[in-house]
Amino acid sequence: MRVLCLGYSVTEEVGYVERAGECAAVEGADLVFLKSGWGGHSVHAIAYMIDEILDTIACDRVLLELFTGNVRYYDRRALSFFLDQILAATARRGRPVAFLNLYQGGVDYTSETVAGLLDDYEACLGIPILDLARPVAASGPEERALWLKDGTHVTPAGADLYGRQVYDFVRGRGFGAAYIHRYRALPSLFTPLRLVAMPDCSCPFAMQRNGIPLHYATIPENTSLSIDLGRRADVRAVMTTYGPLNGTLRFSSPSSERTRDVLLYDRFSYYARSIVMNVNLKGIRTLTCFQRDIVPDIELAKGEKNTEPRMGYVSHVFLHRRLTPTEWLRHHRHRAFWVMHRLRRAISHSRKRTGA
């Protein structure tokens, strides 16, 4: 059984996935642990890329480590929206799933909303949770310092702790498949356009993220790249990079007066890494990406800043799909399911408080 661990930098780094695989090998278990880690990204990026991830990495089960990083910038409704898109993709392929909730420094686990949201998915849909966040939060600071090197990412001792727990969970409680019948027909709201697959689009720059090849069109400074979307569409986001030669990309369209300047540079841009950035240009047919020539006034955390001419990179454009009437009904029927669940839960809590 091939288990895909899908998450962020804790999954991407050498750590718990490898340790879980070692446990399987020692015990002769018929398990292979694979991983796709998207350090620096968040849940919306994985929702946009989920079909490509699942089509590239063959797996039988999916363990979703989606609750470290900056997911707590989302409100509950937005986080649930992106989780549902990920679950719809795994359901269309008949993949049982489980959630892995890992500890993140700086989170108040007595009041945060992610754990409650996962409890709802478990209660309503039978999706199991391996919650290591709350036990680690309840431990002492000396133990956390032994397991975690920066409050979130693991030391060798932490990798051993997490890896053994993941292995035991997969061998024991496992994954939930009951959700599949509800999510299989849920329409996908995003259409990714891979520029490397588009005619007359050269993508000479490439990076690899855990088995997913990313091919980028390059945009020298003071030049633009025009992308024909093939129809009038809503552009939701683009896959681009943060790196030494990045700066500000301006997104616009000949059919719209609106422009969006996106700064693609931070104090860690001494190396190139992929990033998904929101653009939100609606009702356009052509997306124009213009690379501005301004060197960002940001000091790097280490190394010397590269002041050569700026270069932009784009690999994917993510469109928001217009739903057919049937798909629209399915989508809103699904939303109504969650509204009714929250209503029933609120009534239950109210009765408990009043003693009814």
Side-chain angles (χ1 to χ4, degrees):
M1 184 172 71
R2 297 161 299 180
V3 178
L4 174 61
C5 301
L6 175 58
Y8 307 127
S9 55
V10 182
T11 295
E12 184 172 20
E13 294 181 355
V14 175
Y16 79 87
V17 180
E18 288 76 11
R19 187 68 187 99
E22 291 170 359
C23 291
V26 167
E27 296 196 11
D30 189 18
L31 282 171
V32 175
F33 287 88
L34 311 169
K35 68 180 182 179
S36 185
W38 294 78
H41 289 265
S42 193
V43 66
H44 72 286
I46 292 179
Y48 293 141
M49 291 292 293
I50 184 64
D51 286 307
E52 189 168 343
I53 292 169
L54 295 175
D55 289 343
T56 304
I57 304 175
C59 63
D60 305 298
R61 305 285 187 272
V62 183
L63 183 63
L64 296 168
E65 183 269 299
L66 300 178
F67 313 106
T68 55
N70 62 358
V71 297
R72 288 168 182 83
Y73 291 126
Y74 298 100
D75 61 26
R76 182 189 175 98
R77 181 176 178 180
L79 179 55
S80 181
F81 170 80
F82 288 115
L83 278 180
D84 282 349
Q85 286 299 298
I86 294 169
L87 292 174
T90 55
R92 286 193 295 271
R93 293 162 176 82
R95 302 291 184 264
V97 301
F99 292 133
L100 173 60
N101 191 19
L102 298 180
Y103 180 81
Q104 182 180 3
V107 174
D108 181 359
Y109 283 97
T110 63
S111 60
E112 68 104 15
T113 61
V114 168
L117 177 66
L118 299 188
D119 289 341
D120 285 346
Y121 276 85
E122 183 175 40
C124 288
L125 302 167
I127 298 177
I129 310 163
L130 174 54
D131 188 355
L132 300 181
R134 283 181 279 195
V136 172
S139 66
E142 292 183 356
E143 290 175 297
R144 288 197 295 274
L146 174 66
W147 297 328
L148 306 172
K149 58 189 178 185
D150 58 3
T152 300
H153 300 89
V154 294
T155 63
D160 183 64
L161 174 72
Y162 282 2
R164 288 177 180 275
Q165 295 275 356
V166 166
Y167 171 71
D168 290 342
F169 175 81
V170 170
R171 284 294 305 273
R173 189 174 181 190
F175 297 80
Y179 85 101
I180 291 174
H181 82 278
R182 175 169 293 278
Y183 275 79
R184 191 191 299 274
L186 190 66
S188 173
L189 297 178
F190 311 128
T191 299
L193 300 180
R194 297 169 60 242
L195 298 196
V196 71
M198 299 181 70
D200 303 323
C201 190
S202 174
C203 295
F205 179 70
M207 286 197 300
Q208 190 91 353
R209 289 303 292 263
N210 284 330
I212 308 296
L214 301 174
H215 299 277
Y216 292 85
T218 55
I219 312 168
E221 72 174 28
N222 292 322
T223 66
S224 61
L225 171 69
S226 291
I227 303 169
D228 184 359
L229 306 178
R231 56 183 173 81
R232 193 169 294 277
D234 299 338
V235 175
R236 190 75 179 256
V238 297
M239 174 81 81
T240 178
T241 66
Y242 271 38
L245 293 179
N246 284 113
T248 297
L249 265 177
R250 171 169 290 174
F251 298 96
S252 62
S253 174
S255 62
S256 173
E257 295 182 357
R258 185 182 175 195
T259 63
R260 175 80 189 275
D261 282 2
V262 180
L263 177 61
L264 300 168
Y265 194 93
D266 62 9
R267 60 192 298 265
F268 304 107
S269 292
Y270 45 82
Y271 70 103
R273 64 195 194 275
S274 61
I275 192 74
V276 171
M277 297 298 291
N278 290 326
V279 174
N280 293 325
L281 292 174
K282 296 183 177 181
I284 65 173
R285 185 181 178 89
T286 301
L287 176 65
T288 301
C289 314
F290 176 79
Q291 177 60 54
R292 302 186 65 188
D293 60 4
I294 303 170
V295 177
D297 186 21
I298 297 173
E299 295 303 318
L300 297 177
K302 66 178 183 180
E304 186 175 344
K305 180 187 293 188
N306 188 324
T307 59
E308 294 177 10
R310 302 293 92 186
M311 181 73 77
Y313 304 90
V314 177
S315 67
H316 293 66
V317 177
F318 301 101
L319 308 181
H320 195 283
R321 285 187 61 235
R322 304 288 178 89
L323 300 182
T324 66
T326 300
E327 289 175 329
W328 187 91
L329 286 173
R330 289 175 184 166
H331 176 67
H332 286 276
R333 191 181 300 126
H334 180 80
R335 290 181 60 185
F337 164 79
W338 281 113
V339 169
M340 291 302 298
H341 166 73
R342 289 192 290 270
L343 180 61
R344 288 192 296 267
R345 186 187 57 193
I347 292 172
S348 175
H349 288 175
S350 177
R351 287 175 175 172
K352 288 179 181 177
R353 287 195 299 268
T354 59

